[in-house]
Amino acid sequence: MGFIPLKPIPEKDRMSMIFVGMGQIDVRDGAFVVIDEVNGERMHIPVGSVACLLLEPGTRISHAAVKLASVVGTLLIWVGDAGVRLYSAGQPGGARSDKLLYQAQLALDEKLRLKVVRKMFELRFGEPPPSRRSVDQLRGMEGARVRKTYQLLAKQYGVKW
């Protein structure tokens, strides 16, 4: 059975997690469902709008369900009762390396890296960084600003250093 190509929902628009215990997770009529084998009830899960499914003991999951979770970018995590232990975790979207390779390219090219550092500085402080500064110089400026912010917050809240 093939899937229609789907565009995953951005993480910021998803609910964070759902715990699933005691049931068979499968795909029925193209939908992600948990089947309670005792009374035969089905509970549909909008898997594409969930960031993570935590599978507790007593839960079984079919290959089709794992594949659908992968296609829509939902992380599967096998946990102990109430999520106390972590046994295993899936990898949403498969083992794609394109984003990792892009990040490596940005980190290894000095001009691109400086461009990223300048953009991050602007996002953090709401103003563009001074021109003609190196990555190390911008790091030093950020560090000084963060230390100053910590000092102000410590004074405001009475924290003794």
PDB file of all heavy atoms in Angstrom, residues 3-28:
ATOM      1  N   PHE A   3       1.537   5.481   0.017  1.00  0.00           N
ATOM      2  CA  PHE A   3       0.975   6.668   0.651  1.00  0.00           C
ATOM      3  C   PHE A   3       1.004   7.822  -0.324  1.00  0.00           C
ATOM      4  O   PHE A   3       1.909   7.941  -1.142  1.00  0.00           O
ATOM      5  CB  PHE A   3       1.774   7.056   1.893  1.00  0.00           C
ATOM      6  CG  PHE A   3       1.577   6.110   3.046  1.00  0.00           C
ATOM      7  CD1 PHE A   3       2.551   5.194   3.374  1.00  0.00           C
ATOM      8  CD2 PHE A   3       0.418   6.157   3.797  1.00  0.00           C
ATOM      9  CE1 PHE A   3       2.377   4.330   4.437  1.00  0.00           C
ATOM     10  CE2 PHE A   3       0.238   5.299   4.861  1.00  0.00           C
ATOM     11  CZ  PHE A   3       1.210   4.389   5.184  1.00  0.00           C
ATOM     12  N   ILE A   4       0.035   8.697  -0.212  1.00  0.00           N
ATOM     13  CA  ILE A   4       0.037   9.942  -0.968  1.00  0.00           C
ATOM     14  C   ILE A   4       1.130  10.806  -0.360  1.00  0.00           C
ATOM     15  O   ILE A   4       1.222  10.897   0.863  1.00  0.00           O
ATOM     16  CB  ILE A   4      -1.334  10.653  -0.853  1.00  0.00           C
ATOM     17  CG1 ILE A   4      -2.422   9.767  -1.437  1.00  0.00           C
ATOM     18  CG2 ILE A   4      -1.295  12.015  -1.522  1.00  0.00           C
ATOM     19  CD1 ILE A   4      -3.825  10.271  -1.156  1.00  0.00           C
ATOM     20  N   PRO A   5       1.978  11.445  -1.181  1.00  0.00           N
ATOM     21  CA  PRO A   5       3.019  12.305  -0.602  1.00  0.00           C
ATOM     22  C   PRO A   5       2.379  13.369   0.283  1.00  0.00           C
ATOM     23  O   PRO A   5       1.459  14.069  -0.127  1.00  0.00           O
ATOM     24  CB  PRO A   5       3.691  12.936  -1.823  1.00  0.00           C
ATOM     25  CG  PRO A   5       3.353  12.043  -2.966  1.00  0.00           C
ATOM     26  CD  PRO A   5       2.029  11.416  -2.630  1.00  0.00           C
ATOM     27  N   LEU A   6       2.866  13.467   1.507  1.00  0.00           N
ATOM     28  CA  LEU A   6       2.312  14.403   2.476  1.00  0.00           C
ATOM     29  C   LEU A   6       3.343  15.463   2.833  1.00  0.00           C
ATOM     30  O   LEU A   6       4.539  15.204   2.822  1.00  0.00           O
ATOM     31  CB  LEU A   6       1.903  13.657   3.751  1.00  0.00           C
ATOM     32  CG  LEU A   6       0.862  12.561   3.579  1.00  0.00           C
ATOM     33  CD1 LEU A   6       0.714  11.772   4.864  1.00  0.00           C
ATOM     34  CD2 LEU A   6      -0.476  13.157   3.173  1.00  0.00           C
ATOM     35  N   LYS A   7       2.855  16.643   3.154  1.00  0.00           N
ATOM     36  CA  LYS A   7       3.727  17.696   3.640  1.00  0.00           C
ATOM     37  C   LYS A   7       3.509  17.777   5.148  1.00  0.00           C
ATOM     38  O   LYS A   7       2.425  18.138   5.599  1.00  0.00           O
ATOM     39  CB  LYS A   7       3.388  19.031   2.981  1.00  0.00           C
ATOM     40  CG  LYS A   7       4.306  20.140   3.395  1.00  0.00           C
ATOM     41  CD  LYS A   7       3.989  21.431   2.681  1.00  0.00           C
ATOM     42  CE  LYS A   7       4.943  22.508   3.164  1.00  0.00           C
ATOM     43  NZ  LYS A   7       4.581  23.808   2.629  1.00  0.00           N
ATOM     44  N   PRO A   8       4.516  17.408   5.950  1.00  0.00           N
ATOM     45  CA  PRO A   8       4.325  17.405   7.397  1.00  0.00           C
ATOM     46  C   PRO A   8       3.947  18.774   7.951  1.00  0.00           C
ATOM     47  O   PRO A   8       4.363  19.811   7.442  1.00  0.00           O
ATOM     48  CB  PRO A   8       5.686  16.966   7.934  1.00  0.00           C
ATOM     49  CG  PRO A   8       6.314  16.218   6.812  1.00  0.00           C
ATOM     50  CD  PRO A   8       5.820  16.902   5.563  1.00  0.00           C
ATOM     51  N   ILE A   9       3.129  18.755   9.011  1.00  0.00           N
ATOM     52  CA  ILE A   9       2.736  19.970   9.716  1.00  0.00           C
ATOM     53  C   ILE A   9       3.948  20.462  10.495  1.00  0.00           C
ATOM     54  O   ILE A   9       4.635  19.669  11.143  1.00  0.00           O
ATOM     55  CB  ILE A   9       1.564  19.671  10.674  1.00  0.00           C
ATOM     56  CG1 ILE A   9       0.331  19.242   9.876  1.00  0.00           C
ATOM     57  CG2 ILE A   9       1.247  20.869  11.561  1.00  0.00           C
ATOM     58  CD1 ILE A   9      -0.807  18.699  10.729  1.00  0.00           C
ATOM     59  N   PRO A  10       4.232  21.774  10.476  1.00  0.00           N
ATOM     60  CA  PRO A  10       5.379  22.282  11.241  1.00  0.00           C
ATOM     61  C   PRO A  10       5.256  21.944  12.731  1.00  0.00           C
ATOM     62  O   PRO A  10       4.152  21.939  13.280  1.00  0.00           O
ATOM     63  CB  PRO A  10       5.316  23.799  11.028  1.00  0.00           C
ATOM     64  CG  PRO A  10       4.485  23.989   9.796  1.00  0.00           C
ATOM     65  CD  PRO A  10       3.539  22.830   9.740  1.00  0.00           C
ATOM     66  N   GLU A  11       6.390  21.686  13.382  1.00  0.00           N
ATOM     67  CA  GLU A  11       6.394  21.307  14.801  1.00  0.00           C
ATOM     68  C   GLU A  11       5.667  22.322  15.677  1.00  0.00           C
ATOM     69  O   GLU A  11       4.971  21.961  16.607  1.00  0.00           O
ATOM     70  CB  GLU A  11       7.830  21.138  15.315  1.00  0.00           C
ATOM     71  CG  GLU A  11       8.542  19.933  14.772  1.00  0.00           C
ATOM     72  CD  GLU A  11       7.911  18.616  15.167  1.00  0.00           C
ATOM     73  OE1 GLU A  11       7.429  18.467  16.302  1.00  0.00           O
ATOM     74  OE2 GLU A  11       7.886  17.712  14.317  1.00  0.00           O
ATOM     75  N   LYS A  12       5.824  23.608  15.379  1.00  0.00           N
ATOM     76  CA  LYS A  12       5.206  24.636  16.226  1.00  0.00           C
ATOM     77  C   LYS A  12       3.688  24.571  16.196  1.00  0.00           C
ATOM     78  O   LYS A  12       3.026  25.073  17.106  1.00  0.00           O
ATOM     79  CB  LYS A  12       5.685  26.028  15.808  1.00  0.00           C
ATOM     80  CG  LYS A  12       5.241  26.441  14.416  1.00  0.00           C
ATOM     81  CD  LYS A  12       5.794  27.804  14.042  1.00  0.00           C
ATOM     82  CE  LYS A  12       5.454  28.114  12.613  1.00  0.00           C
ATOM     83  NZ  LYS A  12       4.524  29.099  12.367  1.00  0.00           N
ATOM     84  N   ASP A  13       3.100  23.940  15.180  1.00  0.00           N
ATOM     85  CA  ASP A  13       1.645  23.836  15.065  1.00  0.00           C
ATOM     86  C   ASP A  13       1.099  22.500  15.547  1.00  0.00           C
ATOM     87  O   ASP A  13      -0.087  22.227  15.418  1.00  0.00           O
ATOM     88  CB  ASP A  13       1.216  24.055  13.602  1.00  0.00           C
ATOM     89  CG  ASP A  13       1.559  25.454  13.112  1.00  0.00           C
ATOM     90  OD1 ASP A  13       1.595  26.377  13.937  1.00  0.00           O
ATOM     91  OD2 ASP A  13       1.793  25.616  11.901  1.00  0.00           O
ATOM     92  N   ARG A  14       1.940  21.644  16.094  1.00  0.00           N
ATOM     93  CA  ARG A  14       1.515  20.315  16.539  1.00  0.00           C
ATOM     94  C   ARG A  14       1.263  20.286  18.043  1.00  0.00           C
ATOM     95  O   ARG A  14       1.841  21.064  18.787  1.00  0.00           O
ATOM     96  CB  ARG A  14       2.596  19.272  16.234  1.00  0.00           C
ATOM     97  CG  ARG A  14       2.833  19.039  14.771  1.00  0.00           C
ATOM     98  CD  ARG A  14       3.929  18.018  14.604  1.00  0.00           C
ATOM     99  NE  ARG A  14       4.207  17.778  13.209  1.00  0.00           N
ATOM    100  CZ  ARG A  14       4.442  16.588  12.701  1.00  0.00           C
ATOM    101  NH1 ARG A  14       4.454  15.517  13.470  1.00  0.00           N
ATOM    102  NH2 ARG A  14       4.689  16.451  11.423  1.00  0.00           N
ATOM    103  N   MET A  15       0.413  19.339  18.484  1.00  0.00           N
ATOM    104  CA  MET A  15       0.347  19.065  19.915  1.00  0.00           C
ATOM    105  C   MET A  15       1.601  18.290  20.263  1.00  0.00           C
ATOM    106  O   MET A  15       2.172  17.596  19.421  1.00  0.00           O
ATOM    107  CB  MET A  15      -0.925  18.319  20.297  1.00  0.00           C
ATOM    108  CG  MET A  15      -1.049  16.917  19.742  1.00  0.00           C
ATOM    109  SD  MET A  15      -2.593  16.128  20.193  1.00  0.00           S
ATOM    110  CE  MET A  15      -3.608  16.621  18.813  1.00  0.00           C
ATOM    111  N   SER A  16       2.051  18.399  21.502  1.00  0.00           N
ATOM    112  CA  SER A  16       3.370  17.869  21.827  1.00  0.00           C
ATOM    113  C   SER A  16       3.425  16.345  21.870  1.00  0.00           C
ATOM    114  O   SER A  16       4.253  15.753  21.189  1.00  0.00           O
ATOM    115  CB  SER A  16       3.869  18.452  23.140  1.00  0.00           C
ATOM    116  OG  SER A  16       2.970  18.163  24.185  1.00  0.00           O
ATOM    117  N   MET A  17       2.581  15.694  22.678  1.00  0.00           N
ATOM    118  CA  MET A  17       2.726  14.241  22.789  1.00  0.00           C
ATOM    119  C   MET A  17       1.430  13.582  23.228  1.00  0.00           C
ATOM    120  O   MET A  17       0.563  14.216  23.811  1.00  0.00           O
ATOM    121  CB  MET A  17       3.841  13.883  23.765  1.00  0.00           C
ATOM    122  CG  MET A  17       3.563  14.298  25.189  1.00  0.00           C
ATOM    123  SD  MET A  17       4.913  13.936  26.298  1.00  0.00           S
ATOM    124  CE  MET A  17       6.006  15.264  25.946  1.00  0.00           C
ATOM    125  N   ILE A  18       1.342  12.301  22.929  1.00  0.00           N
ATOM    126  CA  ILE A  18       0.238  11.458  23.377  1.00  0.00           C
ATOM    127  C   ILE A  18       0.844  10.168  23.910  1.00  0.00           C
ATOM    128  O   ILE A  18       1.709   9.568  23.251  1.00  0.00           O
ATOM    129  CB  ILE A  18      -0.746  11.136  22.225  1.00  0.00           C
ATOM    130  CG1 ILE A  18      -1.458  12.400  21.750  1.00  0.00           C
ATOM    131  CG2 ILE A  18      -1.758  10.079  22.657  1.00  0.00           C
ATOM    132  CD1 ILE A  18      -2.400  12.163  20.570  1.00  0.00           C
ATOM    133  N   PHE A  19       0.409   9.750  25.096  1.00  0.00           N
ATOM    134  CA  PHE A  19       0.795   8.453  25.646  1.00  0.00           C
ATOM    135  C   PHE A  19      -0.217   7.422  25.152  1.00  0.00           C
ATOM    136  O   PHE A  19      -1.423   7.668  25.181  1.00  0.00           O
ATOM    137  CB  PHE A  19       0.760   8.476  27.178  1.00  0.00           C
ATOM    138  CG  PHE A  19       1.951   9.132  27.798  1.00  0.00           C
ATOM    139  CD1 PHE A  19       1.989  10.502  28.000  1.00  0.00           C
ATOM    140  CD2 PHE A  19       3.051   8.374  28.200  1.00  0.00           C
ATOM    141  CE1 PHE A  19       3.080  11.102  28.583  1.00  0.00           C
ATOM    142  CE2 PHE A  19       4.152   8.974  28.793  1.00  0.00           C
ATOM    143  CZ  PHE A  19       4.163  10.346  28.981  1.00  0.00           C
ATOM    144  N   VAL A  20       0.280   6.271  24.707  1.00  0.00           N
ATOM    145  CA  VAL A  20      -0.601   5.188  24.276  1.00  0.00           C
ATOM    146  C   VAL A  20      -0.205   3.938  25.059  1.00  0.00           C
ATOM    147  O   VAL A  20       0.962   3.550  25.064  1.00  0.00           O
ATOM    148  CB  VAL A  20      -0.480   4.913  22.760  1.00  0.00           C
ATOM    149  CG1 VAL A  20      -1.390   3.764  22.357  1.00  0.00           C
ATOM    150  CG2 VAL A  20      -0.802   6.164  21.958  1.00  0.00           C
ATOM    151  N   GLY A  21      -1.197   3.316  25.714  1.00  0.00           N
ATOM    152  CA  GLY A  21      -0.936   2.095  26.458  1.00  0.00           C
ATOM    153  C   GLY A  21      -2.034   1.080  26.208  1.00  0.00           C
ATOM    154  O   GLY A  21      -3.193   1.451  26.009  1.00  0.00           O
ATOM    155  N   MET A  22      -1.676  -0.181  26.169  1.00  0.00           N
ATOM    156  CA  MET A  22      -2.641  -1.273  26.056  1.00  0.00           C
ATOM    157  C   MET A  22      -3.491  -1.190  24.793  1.00  0.00           C
ATOM    158  O   MET A  22      -4.650  -0.816  24.836  1.00  0.00           O
ATOM    159  CB  MET A  22      -3.548  -1.311  27.287  1.00  0.00           C
ATOM    160  CG  MET A  22      -2.804  -1.409  28.604  1.00  0.00           C
ATOM    161  SD  MET A  22      -1.663  -2.795  28.721  1.00  0.00           S
ATOM    162  CE  MET A  22      -2.803  -4.128  28.918  1.00  0.00           C
ATOM    163  N   GLY A  23      -2.924  -1.507  23.688  1.00  0.00           N
ATOM    164  CA  GLY A  23      -3.686  -1.553  22.453  1.00  0.00           C
ATOM    165  C   GLY A  23      -2.795  -1.871  21.279  1.00  0.00           C
ATOM    166  O   GLY A  23      -1.563  -1.887  21.389  1.00  0.00           O
ATOM    167  N   GLN A  24      -3.421  -2.125  20.147  1.00  0.00           N
ATOM    168  CA  GLN A  24      -2.708  -2.392  18.901  1.00  0.00           C
ATOM    169  C   GLN A  24      -2.816  -1.140  18.043  1.00  0.00           C
ATOM    170  O   GLN A  24      -3.924  -0.706  17.725  1.00  0.00           O
ATOM    171  CB  GLN A  24      -3.343  -3.584  18.174  1.00  0.00           C
ATOM    172  CG  GLN A  24      -2.877  -3.799  16.758  1.00  0.00           C
ATOM    173  CD  GLN A  24      -1.429  -4.267  16.639  1.00  0.00           C
ATOM    174  OE1 GLN A  24      -0.917  -4.964  17.507  1.00  0.00           O
ATOM    175  NE2 GLN A  24      -0.773  -3.870  15.571  1.00  0.00           N
ATOM    176  N   ILE A  25      -1.685  -0.550  17.684  1.00  0.00           N
ATOM    177  CA  ILE A  25      -1.688   0.617  16.805  1.00  0.00           C
ATOM    178  C   ILE A  25      -1.529   0.111  15.386  1.00  0.00           C
ATOM    179  O   ILE A  25      -0.644  -0.685  15.084  1.00  0.00           O
ATOM    180  CB  ILE A  25      -0.557   1.596  17.153  1.00  0.00           C
ATOM    181  CG1 ILE A  25      -0.723   2.091  18.592  1.00  0.00           C
ATOM    182  CG2 ILE A  25      -0.560   2.764  16.181  1.00  0.00           C
ATOM    183  CD1 ILE A  25       0.406   2.982  19.058  1.00  0.00           C
ATOM    184  N   ASP A  26      -2.417   0.585  14.511  1.00  0.00           N
ATOM    185  CA  ASP A  26      -2.395   0.128  13.132  1.00  0.00           C
ATOM    186  C   ASP A  26      -2.909   1.244  12.232  1.00  0.00           C
ATOM    187  O   ASP A  26      -3.292   2.318  12.704  1.00  0.00           O
ATOM    188  CB  ASP A  26      -3.282  -1.117  12.981  1.00  0.00           C
ATOM    189  CG  ASP A  26      -2.844  -1.998  11.807  1.00  0.00           C
ATOM    190  OD1 ASP A  26      -2.043  -1.546  10.966  1.00  0.00           O
ATOM    191  OD2 ASP A  26      -3.314  -3.141  11.745  1.00  0.00           O
ATOM    192  N   VAL A  27      -2.907   0.992  10.951  1.00  0.00           N
ATOM    193  CA  VAL A  27      -3.473   1.917   9.978  1.00  0.00           C
ATOM    194  C   VAL A  27      -4.695   1.241   9.384  1.00  0.00           C
ATOM    195  O   VAL A  27      -4.601   0.132   8.851  1.00  0.00           O
ATOM    196  CB  VAL A  27      -2.457   2.262   8.859  1.00  0.00           C
ATOM    197  CG1 VAL A  27      -3.083   3.147   7.804  1.00  0.00           C
ATOM    198  CG2 VAL A  27      -1.220   2.918   9.468  1.00  0.00           C
ATOM    199  N   ARG A  28      -5.842   1.877   9.511  1.00  0.00           N
ATOM    200  CA  ARG A  28      -7.087   1.356   8.951  1.00  0.00           C
ATOM    201  C   ARG A  28      -7.717   2.440   8.096  1.00  0.00           C
ATOM    202  O   ARG A  28      -7.902   3.563   8.560  1.00  0.00           O
ATOM    203  CB  ARG A  28      -8.076   0.942  10.051  1.00  0.00           C
ATOM    204  CG  ARG A  28      -7.589  -0.161  10.948  1.00  0.00           C
ATOM    205  CD  ARG A  28      -7.671  -1.522  10.235  1.00  0.00           C
ATOM    206  NE  ARG A  28      -6.853  -2.540  10.864  1.00  0.00           N
ATOM    207  CZ  ARG A  28      -7.256  -3.368  11.796  1.00  0.00           C
ATOM    208  NH1 ARG A  28      -8.490  -3.308  12.228  1.00  0.00           N
ATOM    209  NH2 ARG A  28      -6.425  -4.260  12.297  1.00  0.00           N
TER     210      ARG A  28
END
